[in-house]
Amino acid sequence: MVTLAEYGEYETAWCPGCGNHSILKAMKQALVALKLEPHQVLFVSGIGQAAKAPHYLNANVFNGLHGRSLPVATGAKICNPELTVIAESGDGCSYGEGGNHFLAAIRRNPNITMVVHNNQVYGLTKGQASPTSETGFVTKNQPKGAFSEPFNPVEIAVAMNAGFVARGFSGRIDHLAGLIQEAIKHKGFSLLDVLQPCVSFNKVNTFGWYDQRCYNLPDDYDSSNRQEALIRAEEWGERIPVGVLYRNQRPVYEENFPFVMNGPAAKTKVDMRKVSGILDLYR
């Protein structure tokens, strides 16, 4: 039986009240509910305060370059299809530096989960506007307000026919833990965008701001309806829907590689006759 204690308790570098604390708690709850042992899980992250989240878990971790978590996660899943692979970083790392990889992952549909801590600001580097910041968002770097239109990740994902698209809120831990479970269980690429406050550098989108606006999608909501999902994905401002916005089943990327069906590459028996034949080509 897997317990929360197996995933450990660590002192973090996050500010008191940061939404990252709740997301970490929800992640542990989800992993335990799915009965996943720490050795069965790989977290891949980039750079940023959110990217530190896997540091505070007892599990396999690869912490790499800014915005580059998805290619590593995809490669890891191909090499070891038995692993539960989760890419976890912030909105800047995932949609800014990693924006192209985000689009490519939706197109390829690898069986991995992407969890994005979306606080609409770069927290680690002291508060610059991120891709999801609202137009006019004032920071030390943008004293006249951010000029660019905000990036809507869930709308883009639905428009590109991603396999699983969901939005959560860090203030509702049990609901968020349920969304993480559904995202992990989905076969194919799953995006979970998590709204969270940054108490130090975003004084607009606070916990109260999200709490007043976020509402759960109704029980009779049809997540297979792409047109309805696009409408919900665009909903922002006074009311923000949270839950599974869209899901469908598409062929999984790894199934294009027959050797993946043999299990983890590390457990595959090496045919030394073939190896000798390859070496002979270079003699």
Side-chain angles (χ1 to χ4, degrees):
M1 178 180 175
V2 187
T3 65
L4 288 172
E6 290 179 64
Y7 281 96
E9 284 286 343
Y10 297 90
E11 182 179 351
T12 75
W14 297 328
C15 303
C18 173
N20 289 336
H21 295 284
S22 300
I23 300 173
L24 178 62
K25 188 173 181 180
M27 180 62 74
K28 289 181 183 178
Q29 286 185 12
L31 295 173
V32 170
L34 291 172
K35 301 179 181 178
L36 287 168
E37 301 276 358
H39 73 273
Q40 296 175 304
V41 184
L42 168 67
F43 284 90
V44 185
S45 65
I47 300 296
Q49 292 290 6
K52 295 177 183 175
H55 298 186
Y56 309 133
L57 281 166
N58 263 342
N60 300 297
V61 176
F62 184 98
N63 189 195
L65 299 175
H66 210 353
R68 304 294 183 259
S69 58
L70 288 174
V72 175
T74 302
K77 187 65 180 180
I78 291 173
C79 288
N80 188 351
E82 294 180 358
L83 268 179
T84 293
V85 181
I86 302 169
E88 185 173 9
S89 272
D91 47 299
C93 186
S94 301
Y95 305 139
E97 286 80 3
N100 184 47
H101 296 305
F102 172 58
L103 302 180
I106 293 174
R107 292 175 55 224
R108 289 174 179 145
N109 199 35
N111 189 16
I112 62 176
T113 299
M114 181 183 190
V115 177
V116 182
H117 300 216
N118 185 354
N119 57 15
Q120 301 173 257
V121 72
Y122 280 95
L124 183 69
T125 47
K126 312 306 180 191
Q128 298 89 351
S130 81
T132 56
S133 299
E134 295 288 336
T135 305
F137 182 66
V138 176
T139 73
K140 291 180 181 177
N141 256 19
Q142 292 95 4
K144 295 184 179 179
F147 299 135
S148 302
E149 286 290 319
F151 182 76
N152 185 335
V154 293
E155 182 181 13
I156 294 294
V158 174
M160 292 183 66
N161 205 28
F164 181 100
V165 184
R167 178 193 277 142
F169 169 41
S170 66
R172 298 174 188 172
I173 296 176
D174 290 342
H175 184 254
L176 179 58
L179 291 178
I180 294 172
Q181 291 178 60
E182 290 195 64
I184 292 174
K185 287 191 290 187
H186 175 78
K187 187 179 179 183
F189 180 75
S190 54
L191 167 68
L192 175 53
D193 184 75
V194 186
L195 303 174
Q196 60 148 136
C198 173
V199 295
S200 296
F201 300 108
N202 188 339
K203 305 299 184 185
V204 177
N205 309 109
T206 62
F207 177 89
W209 189 94
Y210 288 122
D211 196 42
Q212 291 172 8
R213 290 164 171 79
C214 290
Y215 73 92
N216 293 353
L217 287 167
D219 292 338
D220 61 354
Y221 174 74
D222 180 6
S223 61
S224 67
N225 187 327
R226 193 173 172 198
Q227 293 304 314
E228 178 63 20
L230 280 171
I231 293 171
R232 299 281 186 169
E234 287 183 348
E235 195 174 359
W236 184 264
E238 292 307 310
R239 282 171 59 80
I240 303 171
V242 294
V244 180
L245 295 164
Y246 182 62
R247 67 177 112 202
N248 69 58
Q249 290 297 330
R250 290 168 46 199
V252 175
Y253 183 62
E254 301 92 274
E255 293 175 354
N256 291 296
F257 306 96
F259 65 85
V260 172
M261 309 311 292
N262 298 327
K267 294 182 181 178
T268 302
K269 188 175 181 180
V270 177
D271 187 334
M272 295 309 298
R273 288 177 302 176
K274 289 185 178 178
V275 173
S276 295
I278 293 172
L279 292 175
D280 287 342
L281 296 174
Y282 297 94
R283 289 175 179 158

